[in-house]
Amino acid sequence: MSVNGDPVATQSNIREVKRGIAMAAALQTPVIEPGKDNAVRVSAAGIMGRSGISAGYARRLTDGLSVDVEAATEDTFSDGAVRGGVNYSF
């Protein structure tokens, strides 16, 4: 299978998808331990010859509310992904 008959474009698209999957797999929300207010996490993932790395930070704002942010890149450092969240426990 090729994109517009170009097998090189197809291989390039497959590599790009693999990099995206590796970055997504590396994204992990840091877990804040009971009694603590901050957490940092560094993660790595690999899939089909591609690697992703990420770093994240989480902060407890109140007993039931925390925020987190993570950033990831892939093995060539040419693409990146970021995410953030608000966690509410009840």
Side-chain angles (χ1 to χ4, degrees):
M1 182 176 183
S2 63
V3 175
N4 297 327
D6 185 356
V8 174
T10 300
Q11 289 302 313
S12 177
N13 290 342
I14 291 170
R15 282 191 299 275
E16 192 171 322
V17 168
K18 287 179 183 178
R19 287 194 312 255
I21 293 169
M23 285 189 294
L27 287 170
Q28 305 255 338
T29 301
V31 176
I32 303 171
E33 294 179 10
K36 299 190 177 177
D37 292 327
N38 300 285
V40 175
R41 181 181 208 132
V42 176
S43 302
I47 183 170
M48 296 180 271
R50 292 292 178 198
S51 301
I53 58 171
S54 72
Y57 172 75
R59 168 93 177 148
R60 184 183 324 275
L61 302 176
T62 66
D63 190 37
L65 184 65
S66 65
V67 295
D68 61 84
V69 63
E70 295 88 38
T73 189
E74 37 72 46
D75 51 8
T76 66
F77 299 100
S78 62
D79 290 313
V82 294
R83 69 167 295 281
V86 175
N87 303 298
Y88 179 69
S89 302
F90 54 95

